[in-house]
Amino acid sequence: MKNKMIDIRQAISGIGDGATIMVGGFGSPGTPFTLIDALVEYGSKNLTLIKNDANEAHIGISKLLESGQVSRLITSHLGLNRHAIDKMKNEEIDVEFVPQGMLAERIRCKGVGLPAFLSKIGLDTEITASESLTTIDGEVYKVERAIQADFALIHAEVADRYGNLRYNATAMNFNPLMAMAAKQVIVETANCSEDALAPDAIHTPGIFVDQLCIMNNLSKSYQLMEHHIHV
Amino acid sequence: MSENKPITRLLQRAALELWDGCYVNLGIGLPSQVLGFVDPNIFPFIHSENGVLGIGQQAPREQMNPMLIDAGGAYVSTVNGASFFDSAISFGMIRSQRLDLCMLGAFEVDASGDLANWKIPGKFIPGIGGAMELAQSTKKLIVLTTHQDKYGVSKIKKTCTLPLTAKHCVNRIISDCAVIDVTEQGLLVREIAEGLSKAQLIEITDAELHFADDIREF
Protein backbone atom coordinates (compact mmCIF):
# COMPACT_ATOMS: atom_id res chain seq x y z
CA MET A 1 0.00 0.00 0.00
CA LYS A 2 1.21 3.49 -0.82
CA ASN A 3 2.29 5.41 2.25
CA LYS A 4 0.23 8.63 2.33
CA MET A 5 1.92 9.99 5.44
CA ILE A 6 4.17 12.91 4.64
CA ASP A 7 5.88 15.77 6.43
CA ILE A 8 3.88 19.00 6.18
CA ARG A 9 6.69 21.05 4.64
CA GLN A 10 7.37 18.36 2.09
CA ALA A 11 3.71 18.20 1.10
CA ILE A 12 3.44 21.97 0.72
CA SER A 13 6.67 22.18 -1.32
CA GLY A 14 4.74 20.69 -4.24
CA ILE A 15 2.66 23.87 -4.53
CA GLY A 16 4.30 26.09 -7.12
CA ASP A 17 3.67 29.68 -8.20
CA GLY A 18 0.38 30.16 -10.04
CA ALA A 19 -1.34 27.14 -8.48
CA THR A 20 -5.10 26.98 -7.93
CA ILE A 21 -5.92 25.81 -4.41
CA MET A 22 -9.19 24.85 -2.75
CA VAL A 23 -9.16 25.49 0.99
CA GLY A 24 -11.72 23.91 3.30
CA GLY A 25 -13.52 25.73 6.09
CA PHE A 26 -16.51 27.93 6.83
CA GLY A 27 -15.15 30.59 9.14
CA SER A 28 -12.63 28.88 11.37
CA PRO A 29 -14.13 25.38 11.68
CA GLY A 30 -12.59 23.12 9.06
CA THR A 31 -9.93 25.62 8.01
CA PRO A 32 -6.56 23.85 7.62
CA PHE A 33 -4.60 26.49 9.55
CA THR A 34 -1.41 24.46 9.81
CA LEU A 35 -1.19 23.72 6.08
CA ILE A 36 -1.89 27.40 5.35
CA ASP A 37 0.86 28.52 7.75
CA ALA A 38 3.27 26.16 5.95
CA LEU A 39 2.25 27.66 2.60
CA VAL A 40 2.87 31.18 3.95
CA GLU A 41 6.33 30.04 5.04
CA TYR A 42 7.02 28.32 1.71
CA GLY A 43 6.06 31.49 -0.15
CA SER A 44 4.39 30.35 -3.39
CA LYS A 45 3.07 33.36 -5.29
CA ASN A 46 0.33 34.34 -7.73
CA LEU A 47 -2.06 31.82 -6.19
CA THR A 48 -5.74 31.41 -6.95
CA LEU A 49 -7.65 30.45 -3.81
CA ILE A 50 -11.11 28.92 -3.66
CA LYS A 51 -12.60 29.16 -0.19
CA ASN A 52 -16.07 29.89 1.17
CA ASP A 53 -14.86 32.98 3.02
CA ALA A 54 -11.63 34.85 3.69
CA ASN A 55 -11.36 33.87 7.38
CA GLU A 56 -10.76 36.81 9.70
CA ALA A 57 -7.82 39.21 9.84
CA HIS A 58 -4.43 37.60 10.60
CA ILE A 59 -5.62 33.98 10.57
CA GLY A 60 -6.15 31.30 7.92
CA ILE A 61 -6.09 32.43 4.31
CA SER A 62 -6.02 36.06 5.43
CA LYS A 63 -2.30 35.44 6.08
CA LEU A 64 -1.87 34.48 2.42
CA LEU A 65 -3.79 37.58 1.33
CA GLU A 66 -1.80 39.84 3.66
CA SER A 67 1.53 38.38 2.47
CA GLY A 68 0.62 39.20 -1.12
CA GLN A 69 0.71 35.56 -2.29
CA VAL A 70 -2.82 35.58 -3.71
CA SER A 71 -3.85 37.14 -7.02
CA ARG A 72 -7.35 35.72 -7.28
CA LEU A 73 -10.00 34.62 -4.80
CA ILE A 74 -13.18 32.72 -5.63
CA THR A 75 -15.47 32.96 -2.61
CA SER A 76 -19.03 33.46 -1.39
CA HIS A 77 -18.36 36.00 1.33
CA LEU A 78 -15.54 37.99 2.91
CA GLY A 79 -17.47 40.36 5.14
CA LEU A 80 -15.63 39.39 8.33
CA ASN A 81 -12.22 40.33 6.92
CA ARG A 82 -11.46 44.02 6.42
CA HIS A 83 -8.04 43.20 4.91
CA ALA A 84 -9.69 41.14 2.19
CA ILE A 85 -12.26 43.87 1.48
CA ASP A 86 -9.50 46.52 1.28
CA LYS A 87 -7.43 44.37 -1.07
CA MET A 88 -10.46 43.83 -3.28
CA LYS A 89 -11.26 47.58 -3.30
CA ASN A 90 -7.64 48.44 -4.13
CA GLU A 91 -7.67 45.81 -6.87
CA GLU A 92 -4.72 44.00 -5.32
CA ILE A 93 -6.72 40.80 -5.63
CA ASP A 94 -9.35 39.81 -8.15
CA VAL A 95 -12.44 38.56 -6.29
CA GLU A 96 -15.20 36.47 -7.86
CA PHE A 97 -18.30 36.14 -5.70
CA VAL A 98 -20.28 32.93 -6.12
CA PRO A 99 -23.51 32.13 -4.22
CA GLN A 100 -22.49 29.73 -1.47
CA GLY A 101 -24.54 26.75 -2.61
CA MET A 102 -23.41 27.25 -6.21
CA LEU A 103 -19.81 27.27 -5.03
CA ALA A 104 -20.36 24.03 -3.13
CA GLU A 105 -22.19 22.34 -5.99
CA ARG A 106 -19.70 23.45 -8.67
CA ILE A 107 -16.93 21.92 -6.56
CA ARG A 108 -18.97 18.76 -5.97
CA CYS A 109 -19.70 18.59 -9.70
CA LYS A 110 -15.98 18.29 -10.48
CA GLY A 111 -15.64 15.73 -7.72
CA VAL A 112 -18.31 13.49 -9.20
CA GLY A 113 -16.98 13.72 -12.76
CA LEU A 114 -19.50 16.11 -14.30
CA PRO A 115 -18.60 19.21 -16.35
CA ALA A 116 -21.53 21.46 -15.41
CA PHE A 117 -25.09 21.66 -14.13
CA LEU A 118 -28.08 23.95 -14.60
CA SER A 119 -29.68 26.21 -12.03
CA LYS A 120 -31.96 29.20 -11.65
CA ILE A 121 -30.08 30.71 -8.70
CA GLY A 122 -29.13 34.33 -9.32
CA LEU A 123 -30.91 34.41 -12.67
CA ASP A 124 -32.48 37.84 -12.17
CA THR A 125 -29.39 39.43 -10.64
CA GLU A 126 -26.26 41.21 -11.78
CA ILE A 127 -24.07 38.13 -11.18
CA THR A 128 -25.59 36.33 -14.16
CA ALA A 129 -24.16 37.06 -17.62
CA SER A 130 -26.43 36.43 -20.58
CA GLU A 131 -23.88 34.18 -22.31
CA SER A 132 -24.16 31.69 -19.46
CA LEU A 133 -27.87 31.07 -20.11
CA THR A 134 -29.52 28.14 -21.85
CA THR A 135 -33.13 27.11 -22.47
CA ILE A 136 -34.55 23.63 -21.86
CA ASP A 137 -38.26 22.82 -22.32
CA GLY A 138 -38.98 26.54 -22.49
CA GLU A 139 -37.32 27.29 -19.14
CA VAL A 140 -34.25 29.51 -18.88
CA TYR A 141 -31.35 28.23 -16.77
CA LYS A 142 -27.85 29.33 -15.95
CA VAL A 143 -25.06 26.92 -16.85
CA GLU A 144 -22.91 26.44 -13.74
CA ARG A 145 -19.53 24.99 -14.63
CA ALA A 146 -17.57 22.61 -12.43
CA ILE A 147 -14.64 24.17 -10.58
CA GLN A 148 -11.36 22.30 -10.43
CA ALA A 149 -8.12 22.93 -8.64
CA ASP A 150 -4.53 21.74 -8.59
CA PHE A 151 -4.60 21.25 -4.83
CA ALA A 152 -7.06 20.95 -1.96
CA LEU A 153 -6.04 21.73 1.62
CA ILE A 154 -8.27 19.81 4.01
CA HIS A 155 -8.69 19.71 7.80
CA ALA A 156 -9.97 16.42 9.23
CA GLU A 157 -10.73 15.59 12.85
CA VAL A 158 -9.58 11.97 12.51
CA ALA A 159 -7.85 9.96 9.80
CA ASP A 160 -6.43 6.49 9.41
CA ARG A 161 -3.33 5.51 7.44
CA TYR A 162 -5.52 4.57 4.46
CA GLY A 163 -6.51 8.23 4.16
CA ASN A 164 -10.08 7.72 5.37
CA LEU A 165 -11.37 10.86 7.07
CA ARG A 166 -13.94 12.06 9.58
CA TYR A 167 -14.85 15.66 10.33
CA ASN A 168 -16.01 17.32 13.55
CA ALA A 169 -19.46 19.00 13.59
CA THR A 170 -19.58 22.08 11.31
CA ALA A 171 -15.91 21.64 10.39
CA MET A 172 -17.22 19.40 7.61
CA ASN A 173 -18.63 22.16 5.35
CA PHE A 174 -16.59 22.30 2.09
CA ASN A 175 -13.92 19.77 3.11
CA PRO A 176 -15.44 16.53 1.74
CA LEU A 177 -16.40 18.30 -1.51
CA MET A 178 -12.97 19.79 -2.09
CA ALA A 179 -11.34 16.48 -1.21
CA MET A 180 -13.08 15.02 -4.28
CA ALA A 181 -12.42 17.91 -6.65
CA ALA A 182 -8.68 18.66 -6.64
CA LYS A 183 -5.86 16.85 -8.44
CA GLN A 184 -3.70 16.65 -5.32
CA VAL A 185 -5.41 16.44 -1.93
CA ILE A 186 -3.38 17.32 1.17
CA VAL A 187 -4.99 16.61 4.54
CA GLU A 188 -3.98 17.79 8.00
CA THR A 189 -5.17 16.03 11.12
CA ALA A 190 -4.12 15.90 14.76
CA ASN A 191 -5.54 12.43 15.21
CA CYS A 192 -4.31 9.57 13.06
CA SER A 193 -5.87 6.34 14.22
CA GLU A 194 -3.58 3.30 14.51
CA ASP A 195 -6.55 1.13 13.61
CA ALA A 196 -8.55 1.56 10.44
CA LEU A 197 -11.65 3.69 10.98
CA ALA A 198 -14.93 1.78 10.97
CA PRO A 199 -16.14 1.65 7.34
CA ASP A 200 -19.56 3.04 8.21
CA ALA A 201 -18.06 5.95 10.17
CA ILE A 202 -16.10 7.42 7.27
CA HIS A 203 -17.03 10.79 5.75
CA THR A 204 -14.35 10.92 3.02
CA PRO A 205 -13.07 7.59 1.64
CA GLY A 206 -9.28 7.35 1.41
CA ILE A 207 -9.30 7.04 -2.38
CA PHE A 208 -9.66 10.83 -2.54
CA VAL A 209 -6.70 11.55 -0.25
CA ASP A 210 -3.15 11.79 -1.60
CA GLN A 211 -1.13 13.14 1.30
CA LEU A 212 -1.77 12.95 5.02
CA CYS A 213 0.05 15.28 7.41
CA ILE A 214 -0.04 14.67 11.15
CA MET A 215 -0.03 17.80 13.32
CA ASN A 216 1.79 17.52 16.62
CA ASN A 217 0.84 20.94 17.96
CA LEU A 218 -2.39 22.79 17.33
CA SER A 219 -2.01 26.56 17.12
CA LYS A 220 -4.34 29.01 18.87
CA SER A 221 -6.35 29.30 15.67
CA TYR A 222 -8.06 25.99 16.48
CA GLN A 223 -9.31 27.23 19.85
CA LEU A 224 -12.40 29.26 20.76
CA MET A 225 -12.20 32.84 19.50
CA GLU A 226 -12.88 35.16 22.44
CA HIS A 227 -14.55 37.86 20.33
CA HIS A 228 -17.20 35.35 19.23
CA ILE A 229 -18.17 34.52 22.82
CA HIS A 230 -20.96 36.68 24.16
CA VAL A 231 -21.84 35.28 27.59
CA MET B 1 -30.53 40.45 23.37
CA SER B 2 -31.63 43.90 22.33
CA GLU B 3 -32.53 46.59 24.87
CA ASN B 4 -34.15 48.53 22.07
CA LYS B 5 -37.94 48.36 22.54
CA PRO B 6 -39.04 48.61 18.88
CA ILE B 7 -36.51 45.91 17.95
CA THR B 8 -37.64 43.72 20.83
CA ARG B 9 -41.24 44.05 19.61
CA LEU B 10 -40.13 43.11 16.09
CA LEU B 11 -38.28 40.04 17.37
CA GLN B 12 -41.15 38.97 19.63
CA ARG B 13 -43.57 39.23 16.71
CA ALA B 14 -41.21 37.35 14.40
CA ALA B 15 -40.89 34.52 16.93
CA LEU B 16 -44.67 33.90 16.62
CA GLU B 17 -44.08 32.78 13.03
CA LEU B 18 -42.28 29.62 14.18
CA TRP B 19 -44.09 26.42 15.13
CA ASP B 20 -43.17 23.18 16.80
CA GLY B 21 -41.07 21.05 14.46
CA CYS B 22 -40.82 23.62 11.66
CA TYR B 23 -37.60 23.70 9.61
CA VAL B 24 -36.34 27.26 9.48
CA ASN B 25 -33.22 29.17 8.51
CA LEU B 26 -32.59 32.37 10.47
CA GLY B 27 -30.25 34.69 8.58
CA ILE B 28 -27.47 36.80 10.02
CA GLY B 29 -28.52 40.01 11.81
CA LEU B 30 -32.02 40.45 13.23
CA PRO B 31 -33.24 36.95 12.26
CA SER B 32 -30.53 35.19 14.27
CA GLN B 33 -31.82 36.98 17.40
CA VAL B 34 -35.34 35.56 17.02
CA LEU B 35 -34.48 32.26 18.73
CA GLY B 36 -34.17 34.08 22.06
CA PHE B 37 -37.87 35.04 21.86
CA VAL B 38 -39.40 31.70 20.92
CA ASP B 39 -41.94 30.13 23.31
CA PRO B 40 -39.95 27.57 25.33
CA ASN B 41 -42.63 24.95 24.63
CA ILE B 42 -41.98 25.18 20.90
CA PHE B 43 -39.05 23.35 19.31
CA PRO B 44 -38.26 24.50 15.79
CA PHE B 45 -35.41 22.85 13.85
CA ILE B 46 -33.03 25.70 13.07
CA HIS B 47 -31.03 25.17 9.89
CA SER B 48 -27.70 26.90 9.43
CA GLU B 49 -26.20 26.80 5.97
CA ASN B 50 -22.72 25.94 7.24
CA GLY B 51 -23.99 22.41 7.77
CA VAL B 52 -26.24 21.87 10.76
CA LEU B 53 -29.94 21.24 11.25
CA GLY B 54 -31.09 21.55 14.86
CA ILE B 55 -29.27 24.49 16.41
CA GLY B 56 -30.06 25.21 20.06
CA GLN B 57 -29.23 28.20 22.22
CA GLN B 58 -25.68 29.45 22.55
CA ALA B 59 -23.64 26.83 24.35
CA PRO B 60 -22.42 27.50 27.90
CA ARG B 61 -18.73 28.30 27.75
CA GLU B 62 -17.52 24.98 29.13
CA GLN B 63 -19.51 23.14 26.45
CA MET B 64 -18.49 25.28 23.48
CA ASN B 65 -16.90 23.36 20.61
CA PRO B 66 -14.57 25.48 18.45
CA MET B 67 -15.70 23.33 15.50
CA LEU B 68 -19.43 23.98 16.06
CA ILE B 69 -20.70 27.39 14.97
CA ASP B 70 -23.73 28.83 13.23
CA ALA B 71 -23.38 30.78 10.00
CA GLY B 72 -22.86 33.96 12.00
CA GLY B 73 -19.90 32.49 13.89
CA ALA B 74 -21.60 32.02 17.29
CA TYR B 75 -20.68 28.91 19.30
CA VAL B 76 -24.02 27.14 19.44
CA SER B 77 -25.39 23.96 20.95
CA THR B 78 -27.44 21.33 19.14
CA VAL B 79 -30.89 19.98 20.06
CA ASN B 80 -31.99 16.34 20.17
CA GLY B 81 -32.39 15.12 16.61
CA ALA B 82 -29.80 17.48 15.15
CA SER B 83 -27.59 16.50 12.20
CA PHE B 84 -24.39 17.70 10.51
CA PHE B 85 -23.74 17.62 6.77
CA ASP B 86 -21.56 19.16 4.07
CA SER B 87 -22.27 22.44 2.25
CA ALA B 88 -23.62 20.76 -0.92
CA ILE B 89 -26.22 18.83 1.07
CA SER B 90 -27.01 21.94 3.11
CA PHE B 91 -27.85 23.94 -0.01
CA GLY B 92 -29.54 20.91 -1.56
CA MET B 93 -32.01 21.12 1.34
CA ILE B 94 -32.54 24.80 0.61
CA ARG B 95 -32.93 24.58 -3.17
CA SER B 96 -35.24 21.55 -3.02
CA GLN B 97 -37.55 23.54 -0.72
CA ARG B 98 -37.30 21.33 2.35
CA LEU B 99 -37.22 24.38 4.62
CA ASP B 100 -40.64 25.63 5.71
CA LEU B 101 -39.49 29.11 6.44
CA CYS B 102 -36.59 31.50 6.10
CA MET B 103 -36.05 34.86 7.76
CA LEU B 104 -33.57 37.30 6.23
CA GLY B 105 -32.52 40.88 6.84
CA ALA B 106 -32.81 43.56 4.17
CA PHE B 107 -31.21 46.74 2.90
CA GLU B 108 -34.34 47.27 0.79
CA VAL B 109 -37.52 45.33 0.07
CA ASP B 110 -40.16 46.47 -2.37
CA ALA B 111 -43.85 46.27 -3.24
CA SER B 112 -43.34 43.40 -5.68
CA GLY B 113 -41.44 41.30 -3.11
CA ASP B 114 -37.99 41.98 -4.55
CA LEU B 115 -35.19 41.86 -1.98
CA ALA B 116 -31.83 43.66 -1.90
CA ASN B 117 -29.58 42.58 0.95
CA TRP B 118 -26.10 41.76 -0.34
CA LYS B 119 -24.44 44.80 -1.84
CA ILE B 120 -24.32 48.59 -1.58
CA PRO B 121 -22.19 49.55 -4.59
CA GLY B 122 -19.10 51.52 -3.63
CA LYS B 123 -19.80 51.14 0.09
CA PHE B 124 -20.45 47.62 1.28
CA ILE B 125 -19.55 44.59 -0.81
CA PRO B 126 -19.11 41.67 1.58
CA GLY B 127 -20.29 39.00 -0.85
CA ILE B 128 -23.43 36.95 -1.37
CA GLY B 129 -23.01 34.13 1.11
CA GLY B 130 -26.11 31.95 1.02
CA ALA B 131 -28.60 34.80 0.61
CA MET B 132 -29.54 34.26 -3.05
CA GLU B 133 -30.41 30.60 -2.57
CA LEU B 134 -32.26 31.19 0.68
CA ALA B 135 -34.25 34.07 -0.81
CA GLN B 136 -35.06 32.33 -4.06
CA SER B 137 -35.77 28.80 -2.86
CA THR B 138 -37.53 28.88 0.49
CA LYS B 139 -41.28 28.15 0.61
CA LYS B 140 -41.97 31.20 2.78
CA LEU B 141 -39.57 34.12 3.07
CA ILE B 142 -40.08 36.64 5.85
CA VAL B 143 -37.95 39.78 5.85
CA LEU B 144 -37.10 41.28 9.23
CA THR B 145 -36.03 44.89 9.00
CA THR B 146 -36.22 48.20 10.74
CA HIS B 147 -38.86 50.24 8.92
CA GLN B 148 -36.38 53.04 8.24
CA ASP B 149 -32.60 53.17 8.04
CA LYS B 150 -30.53 55.21 10.50
CA TYR B 151 -31.05 58.33 8.36
CA GLY B 152 -34.85 57.94 8.54
CA VAL B 153 -35.16 56.68 4.96
CA SER B 154 -37.82 54.04 4.31
CA LYS B 155 -36.38 50.59 3.60
CA ILE B 156 -39.74 49.47 2.20
CA LYS B 157 -39.63 50.83 -1.34
CA LYS B 158 -41.86 51.18 -4.36
CA THR B 159 -38.97 49.61 -6.25
CA CYS B 160 -35.58 48.48 -4.95
CA THR B 161 -32.68 50.69 -6.02
CA LEU B 162 -29.82 48.43 -4.88
CA PRO B 163 -28.60 45.28 -6.70
CA LEU B 164 -31.15 42.53 -6.10
CA THR B 165 -30.64 39.35 -4.14
CA ALA B 166 -33.74 37.82 -5.78
CA LYS B 167 -36.94 38.97 -7.47
CA HIS B 168 -40.48 38.28 -6.23
CA CYS B 169 -39.23 36.26 -3.28
CA VAL B 170 -40.58 37.98 -0.15
CA ASN B 171 -43.89 36.80 1.32
CA ARG B 172 -44.03 38.88 4.50
CA ILE B 173 -42.23 41.86 5.99
CA ILE B 174 -42.00 42.27 9.75
CA SER B 175 -40.66 45.68 10.79
CA ASP B 176 -40.67 47.53 14.08
CA CYS B 177 -43.75 49.37 12.78
CA ALA B 178 -45.85 46.83 10.88
CA VAL B 179 -46.48 43.30 9.65
CA ILE B 180 -46.98 43.52 5.90
CA ASP B 181 -47.83 40.79 3.40
CA VAL B 182 -46.65 40.98 -0.19
CA THR B 183 -49.72 40.22 -2.33
CA GLU B 184 -50.48 40.41 -6.03
CA GLN B 185 -52.29 43.67 -5.31
CA GLY B 186 -49.25 45.13 -3.52
CA LEU B 187 -48.34 45.54 0.14
CA LEU B 188 -51.09 44.67 2.62
CA VAL B 189 -50.64 45.82 6.21
CA ARG B 190 -51.93 43.09 8.55
CA GLU B 191 -50.69 44.48 11.84
CA ILE B 192 -49.53 47.89 12.97
CA ALA B 193 -47.35 48.76 15.94
CA GLU B 194 -49.24 49.83 19.04
CA GLY B 195 -49.68 53.59 19.13
CA LEU B 196 -48.90 54.14 15.43
CA SER B 197 -51.64 55.49 13.16
CA LYS B 198 -52.22 54.43 9.56
CA ALA B 199 -51.39 57.97 8.46
CA GLN B 200 -48.09 57.88 10.35
CA LEU B 201 -47.20 54.52 8.80
CA ILE B 202 -47.97 55.80 5.29
CA GLU B 203 -45.84 58.88 6.03
CA ILE B 204 -42.73 56.83 6.84
CA THR B 205 -43.15 54.26 4.03
CA ASP B 206 -41.95 54.83 0.47
CA ALA B 207 -44.10 52.04 -0.99
CA GLU B 208 -47.85 52.30 -1.39
CA LEU B 209 -49.69 50.50 1.42
CA HIS B 210 -53.07 48.79 1.60
CA PHE B 211 -54.66 47.98 4.94
CA ALA B 212 -56.39 44.74 5.84
CA ASP B 213 -60.02 45.05 7.01
CA ASP B 214 -59.16 43.13 10.16
CA ILE B 215 -55.95 45.02 10.90
CA ARG B 216 -54.62 44.42 14.41
CA GLU B 217 -52.09 46.02 16.72
CA PHE B 218 -48.95 44.21 17.84
Side-chain angles (χ1 to χ4, degrees), chain A residues 194-226:
Chain A
E194 285 292 318
D195 302 320
L197 298 179
D200 60 1
I202 289 164
H203 291 141
T204 292
I207 191 171
F208 295 115
V209 173
D210 298 294
Q211 298 178 316
L212 191 56
C213 305
I214 312 302
M215 302 181 286
N216 297 316
N217 298 303
L218 290 183
S219 68
K220 264 179 67 179
S221 300
Y222 296 93
Q223 299 170 10
L224 295 173
M225 298 165 86
E226 288 299 328

Side-chain angles (χ1 to χ4, degrees), chain B residues 44-123:
Chain B
F45 273 99
I46 312 289
H47 172 271
S48 193
E49 60 270 28
N50 58 320
V52 53
L53 183 63
I55 281 182
Q57 302 287 355
Q58 178 168 270
R61 189 181 173 107
E62 62 278 11
Q63 288 170 23
M64 287 179 180
N65 174 359
M67 297 293 165
L68 174 49
I69 61 170
D70 66 12
Y75 296 111
V76 291
S77 62
T78 51
V79 298
N80 280 341
S83 52
F84 299 123
F85 33 82
D86 68 50
S87 297
I89 290 178
S90 187
F91 280 89
M93 281 176 201
I94 295 169
R95 286 193 308 274
S96 63
Q97 301 203 321
R98 260 58 175 203
L99 299 184
D100 296 305
L101 193 63
C102 176
M103 295 188 183
L104 293 178
F107 299 150
E108 295 178 342
V109 54
D110 75 20
S112 61
D114 293 0
L115 173 66
N117 76 351
W118 76 279
K119 181 177 182 181
I120 302 174
K123 284 189 185 160

Side-chain angles (χ1 to χ4, degrees), chain A:
Chain A
M1 195 194 80
K2 188 189 167 206
N3 180 14
K4 299 189 179 192
M5 307 282 203
I6 186 169
D7 171 72
I8 289 180
R9 285 184 184 178
Q10 202 184 335
I12 292 298
S13 70
I15 301 179
D17 292 351
T20 297
I21 310 169
M22 291 175 175
V23 183
F26 182 119
S28 284
T31 301
F33 292 110
T34 306
L35 294 177
I36 293 166
D37 286 349
L39 185 56
V40 171
E41 194 182 330
Y42 185 64
S44 312
K45 298 241 175 345
N46 194 25
L47 302 172
T48 294
L49 296 187
I50 302 160
K51 186 183 185 292
N52 176 60
D53 55 87
N55 288 118
E56 294 177 45
H58 314 316
I59 65 165
I61 67 161
S62 191
K63 288 185 179 176
L64 289 164
L65 297 173
E66 290 163 34
S67 64
Q69 290 171 262
V70 180
S71 56
R72 187 151 189 264
L73 175 62
I74 301 172
T75 188
S76 86
H77 197 275
L78 38 71
L80 290 175
N81 189 333
R82 61 193 154 81
H83 289 286
I85 289 180
D86 286 347
K87 284 193 174 283
M88 174 178 68
K89 278 186 181 164
N90 300 335
E91 298 183 1
E92 292 170 57
I93 51 168
D94 174 27
V95 174
E96 179 186 346
F97 284 125
V98 180
Q100 198 169 103
M102 293 294 100
L103 184 63
E105 197 64 20
R106 287 173 66 188
I107 293 166
R108 196 190 78 92
C109 210
K110 177 63 190 173
V112 296
L114 298 172
F117 65 95
L118 303 180
S119 152
K120 283 180 171 286
I121 299 301
L123 216 54
D124 295 319
T125 72
E126 67 173 37
I127 65 161
T128 300
S130 59
E131 61 268 22
S132 66
L133 300 180
T134 191
T135 303
I136 291 181
D137 296 336
E139 290 278 317
V140 177
Y141 295 95
K142 185 175 179 184
V143 178
E144 296 282 1
R145 293 172 188 276
I147 302 180
Q148 59 183 319
D150 302 312
F151 298 91
L153 305 184
I154 302 298
H155 174 87
E157 179 70 14
V158 188
D160 65 21
R161 64 195 182 94
Y162 303 93
N164 296 312
L165 309 178
R166 281 185 61 76
Y167 308 99
N168 178 346
T170 57
M172 187 184 295
N173 57 66
F174 283 75
N175 277 302
L177 310 169
M178 291 174 165
M180 297 194 298
K183 289 177 201 156
Q184 183 80 11
V185 174
I186 308 172
V187 177
E188 61 163 51
T189 185
N191 307 296
C192 188
S193 169
E194 285 292 318
D195 302 320
L197 298 179
D200 60 1
I202 289 164
H203 291 141
T204 292
I207 191 171
F208 295 115
V209 173
D210 298 294
Q211 298 178 316
L212 191 56
C213 305
I214 312 302
M215 302 181 286
N216 297 316
N217 298 303
L218 290 183
S219 68
K220 264 179 67 179
S221 300
Y222 296 93
Q223 299 170 10
L224 295 173
M225 298 165 86
E226 288 299 328
H227 63 283
H228 283 285
I229 300 174
H230 311 287
V231 282

Side-chain angles (χ1 to χ4, degrees), chain B residues 16-36:
Chain B
L16 299 178
E17 299 284 335
L18 305 184
W19 65 91
D20 199 48
C22 73
Y23 295 111
V24 57
N25 184 296
L26 301 174
I28 293 167
L30 289 174
S32 63
Q33 299 176 50
V34 170
L35 190 54

Side-chain angles (χ1 to χ4, degrees), chain B residues 125-194:
Chain B
I125 313 174
I128 303 157
M132 283 190 183
E133 280 126 324
L134 286 164
Q136 213 173 318
S137 307
T138 311
K139 279 184 231 165
K140 183 172 184 183
L141 177 62
I142 300 177
V143 161
L144 306 189
T145 179
T146 55
H147 209 85
Q148 298 166 293
D149 68 16
K150 60 184 172 184
Y151 306 107
V153 177
S154 173
K155 294 175 75 174
I156 302 173
K157 304 281 189 193
K158 288 187 187 74
T159 305
C160 286
T161 61
L162 294 169
L164 292 184
T165 307
K167 278 180 98 75
H168 308 314
C169 58
V170 179
N171 301 103
R172 174 167 278 190
I173 303 161
I174 300 178
S175 79
D176 47 326
C177 299
V179 178
I180 303 171
D181 281 345
V182 180
T183 72
E184 291 191 358
Q185 287 74 42
L187 298 181
L188 184 66
V189 181
R190 297 274 187 197
E191 297 171 40
I192 190 164
E194 199 178 13

